[in-house]
Amino acid sequence: MNLELHVWRQPAPNADGSFFTYHAKDVSPDMSFLEMLDVVNEGLVASGGEPIAFDHDCREGICGSCGMMINGVAHGPMKATATCQLHMRRFKDGEVVWIEPWRARAFPVVKDLVVNRGALDRIVAAGGFVSVNTGSAPEANSVPVPKQDADDAMDAAACIGCGACVAACPNGSVSLFTAAKISHLGLLPHGQPERDRRALRMVAQMDVEGFGHCTLFGECQEACPKEISIDTIARMNRDYLQASVMHRGEKAVAGTG
Amino acid sequence: MWFVQFGRSTIGKKIIMAATGLIGIAFVIGHMAGNLQAFVGRDKLNAYGALLHGPLGELLWVVRIVLIVAVVLHVVMAYQLTMRARAARPLGYQKRDPQVSTWASRTMRWGGVLLLVFIILHILHFTTGQVDPAHAYGGVDTAGHRDVYGNLVASFRIWWVSAFYMLAMIFLGLHLYHGAWSSVRTLGYAKPSPQPLHRRIALVVAAIVWLGFTVVPLGVLVGVIH
Amino acid sequence: MELRARVPSGPIERKWAKHCFDMKLVNPANKRRYTVIVVGTGLAGGAAAASLSELGYRVKAFCFQDSPRRAHSIAAQGGINAAKNYQNDGDSIYRLFYDTIKGGDFRSREANVYRLAELSVRIIDQCVAQGVPFAREYGGLLANRSFGGAQVSRTFYARGQTGQQLLLGCYQALEKEVAKGNVTMYPRTEMLDVIVVNGKARGIVTRNMVTGEIETHLADAVILGTGGYGNVYFLSTNAKGSNATAIWRAYRRGAAFANPCFTQIHPTCIPVAGDYQSKLTLMSESLRNDGRVWVPKKSGDGRAPNAIPESERDYYLERKYPSYGNLSPRDIASRAAKEVCDEGRGVGPGGRGVYLDFFDAIKRLGADRIAERYGNLFEMYERITDENPYQLPMRIYPAVHYTMGGLWVDYNLMSTIPGLHVIGEANFSDHGANRLGASALMQGLADGYFVIPLTIGDYIASSRPEPLTADNVEVKATIESVRERTKRLTSIRGTRSATSFHRELGKIVWEYCGMARSAEGLKKALQLIPALRKEFWDDLLVPGTGQELNQELERAGRVADFLELAELMCLDALQRDESCGAHFRIEHQTPDGEALRHDDKFTYVSAWEFAGDGKSPILHKEPLLFENVALVTRSYR
Ligand SMILES: Cc1cc2nc3c(=O)[nH]c(=O)nc-3n(C[C@H](O)[C@H](O)[C@H](O)COP(=O)(O)OP(=O)(O)OC[C@H]3O[C@@H](n4cnc5c(N)ncnc54)[C@H](O)[C@@H]3O)c2cc1C
Ligand code: HEM
Ligand code: HEM
Ligand code: SF4
Ligand code: F3S
Ligand code: FES
């Protein structure tokens, strides 16, 4: 099949960008979306052009590198699927496809479809961990964890850090990502000692980075390749409220800037 | 102070919105019930008004203060959060295809502005009388009470007054269809099995409020209240 | 070059404890005066960087992805082994040690493997405390599953995302140290060379992948945890970015490369669908518990699978290996698939695939039971191939999955360049000629959390690195050579993309140095590869410049290194004139077609020393002594 692509091209972070039109010819329905772009890129290189830059690595939907807005939907039309796992059989011959980078102030474009998601790392650095130095851990089975809690924690921990939630959210909110981490650790006994501190610091950092707030639009949950539930956001709000009220001594200093 | 920090954070602001919104919900439900007395008749409604302004006058002021503070906080937070959200995505998408967000959720902001306009006009209309389309403000009924009922009937006989009220109530309904659901989540409560249940309660709340208010101007228009 | 393994003396159970005591320590107050560079933030590198920082060292950590959390360890599905013996089924440190040595077909170093088994226990403790959500039983305690190559249940897992969860634990520990200011993280930064001053590794040269800046980073010790080189085959289950550049550059600076030909091929992957294919996806091996493997009896049979009657199907694994049948080990199943496809009986596009049929299992157990067991996998298969495995048999084919070879290291995980340490899949590892499932995650974390934090201290305390600045001549020469090479890559301006060369290289290595190798084929490859390399340097086309984000340039640099490494792999495969583990030389098989080792001649680690461009590398041998385990022959009939 043949497709008409409109792709955002931007040579450098502060340069102006615009849409370019490309024609992807003889696309096999068995190709993944990224393989389709590979072929377009090979054509561009062969004809002396510059290939479209996009992030990718595992191509198995687990590393979280890939991600683009495809026809106005983060990661494209298939639910619970990262861009690299999207296949071309989802598209029709002759279809027009708009491809844009994640857009958020906190995710500045690096080049073309590549954005800088360092803000997500900084949010984790602000408190998304358990402070346990190597070697100091007690015997693993000394703390039983109810199976349901472990399973719920795993659901939240499945987040791949792709940033689609931010991209899809009309407010540019990173709530789902942050809430997933707060939920994962907050559901386990091992995460309890730092629970208040974690909520205060991670939320502070997410504000420092300039993400929007959560109106509960629910777009993030729909875009999330790992189907992280917005229930996690409720949990984050509760933790934050509780921590704010109970934890008066702690200054919710902004994280690592 | 913790609450300064709290009030500065997006989640803190949002929690304040939810709390003030819930106060609003409680008020509108009560207010709606009060208004429905119009169906009983002039005496009943005017007596109710007199009760509020007379023996319960001090309580009324407490409620007024709570409401004023709530509305101010709600609006200020709404403004600040909206500005943050705008700033969070300076360059929008060329193409955008919302997947699940309801129309209700996407009209919270403009709908909210309309509600603000409504509330101001409404108070000027019924409580202070600066806006008096039917020239019926300030009358007194046979029992010597302020004739709220007369003003109400005279005003809603004017088609565009009723239309404005009814339009505002549609947006109030939408505001609550999203807000009654989302506020609970903002305050940190989510059932293990997510949306449907709370959405159903929100739907009921929104429908009752919308209907309960709308029947009054409608009742006047069709002549049930006269 | 001298290979000194520096294995401590004493009984095997006591070696590590004794060594821990014998190693020199760095005074806690002095640690912050030393800088350690960690390249790679996978399980090995991430664990090392976090742990060293916790001890007080200044750490600089590097990865080429935009975040340390995306290292390829994230993709591991199955699980991680540990000798906890929670199941009361007779597991022990010694049994895990024994299984690993045997699984590796007796080509690994006993003392290292024993230490690995010993440390496995503490890994689980550490990860659980970090909040890794391992699967649990209703009683709240940890669950285990069994995995290939072992008769005990010792594998810990977090759904099908074990690698992800372990890596996130590691990553979070790392970010905790970043927040403290002790670790400086350099994402989107690719290491392009090691700086060796006075014979010691003292830093690295990197390219900032956003700005193109070539920079030097100096340190007192350097650790490489840069993963495996399976992508030399172009198509593999590795991430697209996985590469050999870091270890290959180190090799060229004097680090010996050990057992390069030991590469593992996994039998159950989704086959190649077309020329555009960019990578291969692993399907869990557990599918072989219920699926039956077959191909048509006739070659070139183009009928749909369901149209081929029972009598015209060849269930070749059941036929050839009646007692193990569809469950024969990885290497055997892989080779058998290749054979039938070579005979022209392969199925699917390009004839490179065999059927894995669940028809009988569905008949026997019902579709529901099968969905319960394999639902996720069936879904993933359908997503990629658009075929429904409940109705049509799956098509599978072997794919490159893991590399046992890597830089040679001693007991302290130090390479032949003093100060250059290598951990995780990047070193020649503890897996000998074949790795058992769920053991790579264990090794990466053992190296990173528990071994390297101590051995780095020993190195620093005993070598006392002298001060060094960026204007040192050797430093300047190294950065200059990197600039030179980058410029060369962008200035050829030929006609072919790096990917086209990579694909061609992959075909050669897969054909001649893949599942089955022969002297003849390897010799042929040794002619084809240098010719391709020459063409690469004559006709490469890299658009754009070096001073920007340039993914073609990144690719070109990596392919250039693969083109050299591939040759070394073939040399090593040719030199190892025996079959062992994953290395199968068709000249050396039993009458039943099984690998035939020659312990008398080849019980050694081959370690290659770079001798200069255009010169044959020099082979060194580290003899392997088996003091605890007797060498036996594997049999799966
Ligand atoms: C699909 C798949 C499934 C697997 N399943 C299992 C399993 O179930 N159990 C198991 O035990 N093992 C499994 N393995 C093997 C195991 O995942 C890997 O061997 C292991 O994770 C490797 O970890 P590592 O830390 O050594 O390297 P990696 O995780 O590969 O990390 C490499 C790091 O080095 C960095 N890097 C590389 N080159 C450079 C450079 N030049 N400059 C800067 N940075 C660089 C990368 O950015 C990355 O951070 C699986 C492997 C695959 C491919
Ligand atoms: C059709 C719908 C409505 C009708 C008919 C109506 C009617 C009235 C009347 C008659 C009064 C005057 C009562 C008195 O002075 O005794 C009043 C007051 C008021 N109404 Fe409404 N109302 C409607 C909707 C609303 C809504 C939706 C809101 C809020 C969002 C609202 C907020 C108020 C407030 C704040 C006052 C002033 C109370 C006070 O402080 O005295 N009304 N309304
Ligand atoms: C006065 C004018 C009003 C304005 C400008 C306004 C504006 C808003 C806005 C913009 C939001 C969405 C906030 C977000 O982005 O998340 C919101 C939420 C909400 N509003 Fe209003 N609103 C107004 C009046 C009211 C009234 C009268 C009520 C109740 C009867 C109400 C109840 C709510 C509730 C319950 C929410 C949900 C809060 C949450 O999600 O946590 N609002 N409002
Ligand atoms: S929550 Fe979902 S969408 Fe957001 S970063 Fe994680 S995986 Fe991606
Ligand atoms: S879409 Fe945005 S508004 Fe909240 S529910 Fe998701 S973060
Ligand atoms: S490339 Fe890894 S998730 Fe898509």
Side-chain angles (χ1 to χ4, degrees):
Chain A
M1 61 178 149
N2 300 315
L3 298 168
E4 183 182 314
L5 310 180
H6 296 274
V7 185
W8 179 263
R9 303 295 309 262
Q10 179 175 337
N14 295 316
D16 289 335
S18 59
F19 285 93
F20 279 64
T21 306
Y22 302 101
H23 294 276
K25 300 221 172 68
D26 301 325
V27 173
S28 151
D30 290 331
M31 279 181 180
S32 72
F33 196 82
L34 298 186
E35 283 168 347
M36 182 274 293
L37 287 180
D38 285 345
V39 172
V40 170
N41 274 345
E42 288 242 359
L44 279 171
V45 173
S47 62
E50 271 224 39
I52 303 160
F54 59 88
D55 263 327
H56 65 100
D57 199 23
C58 72
R59 298 205 175 188
E60 288 187 13
I62 191 73
C63 74
S65 295
C66 65
M68 45 191 90
M69 212 66 180
I70 301 169
N71 278 342
V73 182
H75 284 310
M78 199 164 168
K79 210 174 140 53
T81 303
T83 304
C84 58
Q85 292 283 83
L86 174 67
H87 282 74
M88 295 314 293
R89 61 183 79 91
R90 286 268 149 184
F91 295 83
K92 292 187 295 287
D93 188 26
E95 198 166 333
V96 177
V97 184
W98 289 80
I99 307 176
E100 301 176 66
W102 289 167
R103 295 228 183 263
R105 176 158 70 115
F107 286 176
V109 171
V110 174
K111 182 175 184 175
D112 298 342
L113 305 173
V114 177
V115 299
N116 181 344
R117 286 170 291 196
L120 301 183
D121 291 332
R122 292 189 291 273
I123 289 172
V124 172
F129 46 76
V130 177
S131 297
V132 47
N133 282 1
T134 305
S136 56
E139 153 59 40
N141 261 349
S142 59
V143 185
V145 181
K147 184 169 166 27
Q148 191 59 51
D149 290 353
D151 286 348
D152 290 349
M154 181 62 219
D155 285 342
C159 164
I160 58 175
C162 61
C165 43
V166 177
C169 176
N171 292 354
S173 170
V174 73
S175 290
L176 194 64
F177 169 83
T178 312
K181 189 44 66 197
I182 287 177
S183 293
H184 158 209
L185 296 174
L187 279 161
L188 295 170
H190 309 88
Q192 297 312 312
E194 287 170 291
R195 188 164 165 186
D196 284 358
R197 187 181 137 87
R198 180 179 308 119
L200 293 174
R201 296 179 63 101
M202 290 182 79
V203 168
Q205 187 65 31
M206 116 183 152
D207 289 350
V208 166
E209 299 290 349
F211 291 100
H213 72 293
C214 175
T215 300
L216 283 148
F217 285 121
E219 292 289 341
C220 52
Q221 173 178 264
E222 198 63 16
C224 176
K226 293 294 157 190
E227 300 186 284
I228 307 284
S229 156
I230 54 172
D231 285 357
T232 58
I233 297 181
R235 213 179 272 119
M236 165 170 76
N237 291 344
R238 184 169 58 215
D239 278 12
Y240 183 73
L241 181 59
Q242 241 163 42
S244 294
V245 177
M246 310 303 288
H247 212 86
R248 299 172 185 206
E250 162 93 31
K251 287 232 164 47
V253 274
T256 53
Chain B
M1 297 296 245
W2 69 270
F3 51 83
V4 176
Q5 201 69 49
F6 180 77
R8 281 201 190 125
S9 76
T10 46
I11 294 184
K13 287 185 198 300
K14 192 63 208 288
I15 287 175
I16 294 172
M17 286 211 70
T20 53
L22 286 176
I23 293 175
I25 292 180
F27 167 77
V28 280
I29 290 176
H31 183 38
M32 177 197 79
N35 287 350
L36 288 176
Q37 299 177 54
F39 283 97
V40 181
R42 183 185 302 264
D43 297 345
K44 180 80 184 167
L45 188 69
N46 288 354
Y48 168 68
L51 176 75
L52 289 182
H53 285 270
L56 296 181
E58 269 126 57
L59 186 68
L60 179 68
W61 271 108
V62 174
V63 173
R64 279 180 174 166
I65 288 166
V66 169
L67 283 179
I68 292 169
V69 171
V71 169
V72 168
L73 280 175
H74 194 81
V75 172
V76 170
M77 297 295 132
Y79 175 76
Q80 292 178 339
L81 287 175
T82 303
M83 287 303 131
R84 274 214 204 198
R86 290 247 165 94
R89 178 167 297 130
L91 184 57
Y93 293 105
Q94 178 78 21
K95 249 195 132 206
R96 177 91 220 198
D97 185 4
Q99 300 291 293
V100 289
S101 47
T102 54
W103 199 67
S105 68
R106 281 182 272 126
T107 50
M108 290 302 272
R109 288 168 200 161
W110 287 116
V113 171
L114 183 78
L115 284 178
L116 182 61
V117 172
F118 167 81
I119 291 171
I120 293 169
L121 289 176
H122 177 56
I123 291 175
L124 294 177
H125 178 196
F126 279 117
T127 312
T128 62
Q130 275 83 353
V131 172
D132 192 7
H135 306 290
Y137 183 79
V140 175
D141 69 5
T142 46
H145 295 141
R146 291 163 64 237
D147 190 7
V148 175
Y149 185 88
N151 188 2
L152 185 147
V153 173
S155 300
F156 287 153
R157 283 208 175 122
I158 304 170
W159 71 270
W160 54 265
V161 174
S162 280
F164 173 67
Y165 268 75
M166 291 196 306
L167 178 74
M169 291 313 105
I170 290 176
F171 277 92
L172 180 66
L174 286 170
H175 204 79
L176 295 192
Y177 176 57
H178 183 72
W181 170 76
S182 68
S183 53
V184 182
R185 289 180 164 257
T186 301
L187 292 173
Y189 184 74
K191 274 277 182 129
S193 65
Q195 302 98 333
L197 181 72
H198 279 297
R199 267 292 153 107
R200 223 175 293 149
I201 293 177
L203 181 63
V204 170
V205 169
I208 289 179
V209 169
W210 167 69
L211 212 69
F213 277 122
T214 304
V215 288
V216 175
L218 202 64
V220 173
L221 280 183
V222 301
V224 179
I225 301 172
H226 48 82
Chain C
M1 182 183 286
E2 196 193 355
L3 300 177
R4 281 184 53 225
R6 303 209 289 179
V7 173
S9 58
I12 195 148
E13 303 82 13
R14 295 280 313 138
K15 280 184 199 291
W16 176 238
K18 174 176 177 305
H19 192 61
C20 286
F21 182 73
D22 289 344
M23 279 188 286
K24 292 212 177 91
L25 300 175
V26 179
N27 179 319
N30 282 345
K31 287 196 179 108
R32 84 178 83 91
R33 303 220 312 259
Y34 295 105
T35 303
V36 181
I37 281 176
V38 182
V39 188
T41 57
L43 288 180
S51 306
L52 285 164
S53 167
E54 285 164 7
L55 287 174
Y57 296 103
R58 299 218 156 270
V59 176
K60 287 178 159 195
F62 298 81
C63 71
F64 65 75
Q65 293 92 345
D66 70 325
S67 163
R69 67 179 290 154
R70 309 201 199 283
H72 186 54
S73 297
I74 201 112
Q77 306 166 348
I80 176 168
N81 287 332
K84 281 284 196 188
N85 192 27
Y86 283 158
Q87 307 305 324
N88 193 29
D89 55 3
D91 198 9
S92 63
I93 289 172
Y94 196 86
R95 186 177 295 282
L96 176 53
F97 156 70
Y98 179 82
D99 288 348
T100 309
I101 290 277
K102 180 178 170 217
D105 219 1
F106 307 96
R107 291 293 175 265
S108 42
R109 198 188 283 149
E110 272 192 346
N112 285 50
V113 176
Y114 192 87
R115 174 177 64 190
L116 174 64
E118 204 178 334
L119 293 175
S120 68
V121 177
R122 296 182 66 198
I123 294 174
I124 303 302
D125 299 344
Q126 182 65 28
C127 296
V128 165
Q130 287 172 342
V132 170
F134 282 122
R136 289 182 181 262
E137 308 288 358
Y138 281 103
L141 303 183
L142 293 160
N144 289 116
R145 60 163 65 138
S146 35
F147 227 79
Q151 286 159 312
V152 292
S153 236
R154 62 158 79 101
T155 305
F156 295 78
Y157 62 101
R159 298 218 180 119
Q161 288 137 270
T162 316
Q164 180 199 26
Q165 293 309 315
L166 295 173
L167 184 64
L168 291 181
C170 217
Y171 156 75
Q172 287 164 202
L174 179 63
E175 291 297 339
K176 153 177 82 69
E177 297 302 306
V178 169
K180 282 191 199 148
N182 250 4
V183 174
T184 314
M185 184 66 224
Y186 296 86
R188 288 203 204 274
T189 307
E190 185 161 33
M191 165 190 158
L192 294 179
D193 216 337
V194 192
I195 297 172
V196 182
V197 177
N198 294 333
K200 289 180 188 162
R202 292 304 302 274
I204 58 173
V205 178
T206 59
R207 179 171 178 274
N208 177 323
M209 294 159 77
V210 175
T211 63
E213 195 97 30
I214 309 275
E215 289 158 333
T216 50
H217 296 271
L218 302 180
D220 300 296
V222 177
I223 301 170
L224 303 184
T226 52
Y229 52 89
N231 271 352
V232 71
Y233 292 89
F234 185 68
L235 288 180
S236 82
T237 61
N238 284 10
K240 287 300 287 173
S242 300
N243 69 88
T245 291
I247 54 173
W248 190 253
R249 295 284 122 192
Y251 162 75
R252 291 178 56 101
R253 294 267 168 213
F257 204 122
N259 297 336
C261 78
F262 288 169
T263 54
Q264 188 173 66
I265 286 155
H266 198 289
T268 53
C269 299
I270 300 178
V272 178
D275 279 341
Y276 51 80
Q277 185 109 6
S278 60
K279 77 154 278 164
L280 295 171
T281 303
L282 185 77
M283 298 294 285
S284 167
E285 239 173 322
S286 61
L287 289 171
R288 290 200 283 145
N289 284 316
D290 285 307
R292 295 179 72 196
V293 176
W294 63 275
V295 288
K297 281 189 175 155
K298 265 204 319 263
S299 90
D301 191 333
R303 285 175 291 176
N306 293 343
I308 301 178
E310 226 19 66
S311 61
E312 292 176 45
R313 299 176 175 192
D314 179 10
Y315 293 90
Y316 61 89
L317 283 177
E318 295 169 21
R319 175 171 57 78
K320 286 186 188 164
Y321 306 98
S323 65
Y324 271 71
N326 296 302
L327 284 175
S328 340
R330 283 183 182 181
D331 48 345
I332 290 182
S334 297
R335 271 196 309 276
K338 176 176 158 44
E339 269 164 36
V340 294
C341 293
D342 286 347
E343 291 162 14
R345 299 194 287 145
V347 298
R352 289 277 142 191
V354 300
Y355 290 125
L356 179 62
D357 200 333
F358 290 87
F359 187 73
D360 288 341
I362 291 173
K363 211 161 60 183
R364 181 164 37 95
L365 302 165
D368 288 348
R369 283 291 296 285
I370 293 295
E372 216 171 88
R373 286 185 194 172
Y374 310 114
N376 283 352
L377 294 166
F378 278 29
E379 236 170 68
M380 173 159 98
Y381 180 83
E382 188 171 358
R383 183 175 300 178
I384 294 177
T385 62
D386 203 25
E387 289 173 4
N388 179 347
Y390 295 99
Q391 284 152 14
L392 281 177
M394 274 186 181
R395 289 174 295 109
I396 54 162
Y397 199 64
V400 176
H401 177 59
Y402 184 85
T403 52
M404 281 74 69
L407 292 185
W408 184 90
V409 288
D410 64 13
Y411 190 70
N412 282 345
L413 305 181
M414 188 162 83
S415 71
T416 53
I417 302 176
L420 181 74
H421 296 71
V422 192
I423 57 180
E425 195 175 336
N427 70 24
F428 84 109
S429 88
D430 306 337
H431 309 294
N434 178 49
R435 174 179 69 82
L436 292 182
S439 285
L441 302 181
M442 166 173 79
Q443 183 225 335
L445 289 178
D447 289 1
Y449 281 135
F450 298 114
V451 180
I452 206 74
L454 300 187
T455 60
I456 281 283
D458 182 51
Y459 167 75
I460 288 178
S462 45
S463 76
R464 301 183 169 272
E466 50 290 334
L468 178 69
T469 55
D471 48 19
N472 172 289
V473 281
E474 286 175 277
V475 175
K476 279 169 135 175
T478 313
I479 193 170
E480 212 31 63
S481 73
V482 170
R483 287 216 174 95
E484 197 63 37
R485 196 173 120 99
T486 309
K487 208 179 295 157
R488 217 177 128 202
L489 286 167
T490 47
S491 58
I492 302 170
R493 299 279 159 189
T495 62
R496 288 182 61 183
S497 70
T499 304
S500 76
F501 286 105
H502 195 178
R503 220 179 240 127
E504 194 173 332
L505 174 70
K507 284 196 180 124
I508 299 172
V509 201
W510 179 239
E511 181 65 27
Y512 301 112
C513 198
M515 277 181 278
R517 300 141 180 203
S518 69
E520 194 193 349
L522 289 165
K523 283 181 187 146
K524 182 150 184 219
L526 284 170
Q527 287 175 344
L528 293 172
I529 295 167
L532 185 66
R533 194 165 60 228
K534 181 169 181 317
E535 198 188 335
F536 174 90
W537 285 105
D538 288 341
D539 198 20
L540 174 71
L541 173 58
V542 174
T545 69
Q547 282 78 51
E548 57 177 337
L549 189 152
N550 187 338
Q551 293 175 324
E552 283 296 309
L553 174 62
E554 292 158 18
R555 223 165 272 148
R558 292 168 189 168
V559 175
D561 289 333
F562 283 138
L563 280 163
E564 295 177 14
L565 167 58
E567 189 174 350
L568 189 69
M569 285 169 60
C570 293
L571 270 180
D572 189 47
L574 187 61
Q575 162 279 140
R576 191 168 283 277
D577 201 7
E578 66 161 349
S579 295
C580 61
H583 170 66
F584 188 79
R585 284 283 299 269
I586 58 169
E587 301 94 332
H588 302 283
Q589 46 182 315
T590 63
D592 322 323
E594 269 160 42
L596 192 60
R597 287 198 323 262
H598 291 304
D599 293 335
D600 49 336
K601 284 197 280 191
F602 292 98
T603 312
Y604 62 74
V605 175
S606 53
W608 298 86
E609 179 184 355
F610 181 66
D613 278 316
K615 300 205 184 94
S616 303
I618 304 155
L619 175 64
H620 300 269
K621 298 175 182 174
E622 180 200 338
L624 292 168
L625 303 174
F626 290 90
E627 291 166 341
N628 297 277
V629 176
L631 277 67
V632 293
T633 306
R634 306 189 301 169
S635 167
Y636 296 97
R637 285 234 149 205

